[in-house]
Amino acid sequence: MTARERVAQLVKVLPKVYPDAHTELNFKTPLELLIATILSAQCTDKRVNLVTPALFKKYPTAADYAKAPPAEIEKMIRSTGFFRNKTKSIRAATSAIVEKHNGKVPDTMEELRELPGVGRKTANVVLGNAFGKDEGIVVDTHVVRLSRRLRLTKHDDPEKIERDLMKIIPREHWTNWSHWLIWHGRRRCFARKPDCANCEIFRLCPSGKVFLRTGKAARAATN
């Protein structure tokens, strides 16, 4: 089975396995999602969701972030890690939104990428989830791991992986593809011990049999 054929089967199966798959960052507006995504770097979505309710309440607009004293934001987001750099990114991005976009988060890849501290991954998250635009594929650690295990790419670099995936995954599935793989990575295809025995897409995974075989061999060696 080729990678393209495998994808054709996966886009039929994964929506049935994860019909409610969505970003697990809580947000109501494009601005809230942008801030939450910046905070999610090197941090869990769960931790970000604990921090953002108070943050969103205190700073409802881009202008509020832009004019806020850095120390105030740093204190509120400290638990997400790298809080000083994240504060700089948040204030720089929101300042640009105020100055160049009348306080509204832009809805194009080019304009989002021009915001300080906003890379392609963040732009993809905002475009796909806040604006419903399939402009690219979010490649996080789960997507990297599963894309390689499913033999859809040989690369380790997220941008190269994204290019490989965009060639074989129908555009209308780009945003959901990330959700499906992230949910599967968190619930079944773990980094250290993937649950291949109960995997819903086992028959479509070239790595599955290898993991089962090596797992059985390891258990036999310890008995």
Side-chain angles (χ1 to χ4, degrees):
M1 183 181 296
T2 66
R4 194 177 298 275
E5 291 171 337
R6 191 171 299 114
V7 165
Q9 293 296 312
L10 287 167
V11 297
K12 294 179 181 179
V13 176
L14 287 170
K16 296 177 181 178
V17 179
Y18 303 110
D20 299 318
H22 58 273
T23 177
E24 293 184 273
L25 290 171
N26 295 334
F27 74 99
K28 293 181 180 178
T29 67
L31 177 63
E32 290 184 354
L33 181 57
L34 175 63
I35 300 302
T37 306
I38 291 174
L39 294 178
S40 70
Q42 304 298 312
C43 181
T44 65
D45 290 354
K46 183 177 181 180
R47 168 54 56 184
V48 172
N49 290 337
L50 291 174
V51 169
T52 51
L55 192 70
F56 293 163
K57 184 177 181 179
K58 187 169 185 178
Y59 308 116
T61 70
D64 292 324
Y65 286 102
K67 66 184 181 183
E72 285 187 6
I73 298 177
E74 289 177 0
K75 183 178 180 180
M76 296 186 74
I77 69 170
R78 179 181 289 269
S79 65
T80 68
F82 303 97
F83 59 93
R84 291 191 179 89
N85 286 336
K86 290 179 181 179
T87 296
K88 290 179 181 177
S89 294
I90 289 172
R91 295 186 74 252
T94 52
S95 293
I97 289 171
V98 171
E99 295 169 6
K100 299 180 180 180
H101 303 285
N102 298 314
K104 295 183 178 180
V105 176
D107 62 355
T108 68
M109 176 64 73
E110 182 179 4
E111 290 174 317
L112 281 169
R113 289 293 303 274
E114 289 177 351
L115 298 178
V118 176
R120 184 173 176 85
K121 177 183 173 183
T122 297
N124 278 333
V125 171
V126 173
L127 288 171
N129 297 281
F131 295 109
K133 293 186 174 183
D134 291 299
E135 295 295 332
I137 297 173
V138 175
V139 179
D140 78 338
T141 55
H142 298 290
V143 177
V144 170
R145 181 172 74 255
L146 271 67
S147 294
R148 288 180 56 83
R149 287 180 177 175
L150 290 167
R151 308 281 171 82
L152 304 181
T153 183
K154 295 181 180 178
H155 295 294
D156 293 309
D157 179 74
E159 289 194 8
K160 292 180 179 179
I161 292 174
E162 183 184 10
R163 287 197 291 270
D164 285 345
L165 295 177
M166 289 169 69
K167 293 176 183 177
I168 58 177
I169 297 169
R171 185 167 187 150
E172 64 267 25
H173 297 304
W174 284 358
T175 298
N176 282 329
W177 181 264
S178 299
H179 297 329
W180 294 331
L181 263 61
I182 290 170
W183 278 45
H184 195 62
R186 288 174 174 169
R187 293 159 174 78
R188 190 71 74 199
C189 196
F190 310 115
R192 293 186 179 180
K193 293 183 179 180
D195 186 12
C196 296
N198 296 302
C199 180
E200 296 85 349
I201 59 172
F202 178 79
R203 67 180 182 84
L204 297 171
C205 180
S207 303
K209 293 181 180 179
V210 176
F211 280 118
L212 279 183
R213 186 165 58 247
T214 55
K216 290 178 180 178
R219 287 193 296 272
T222 59
N223 290 336

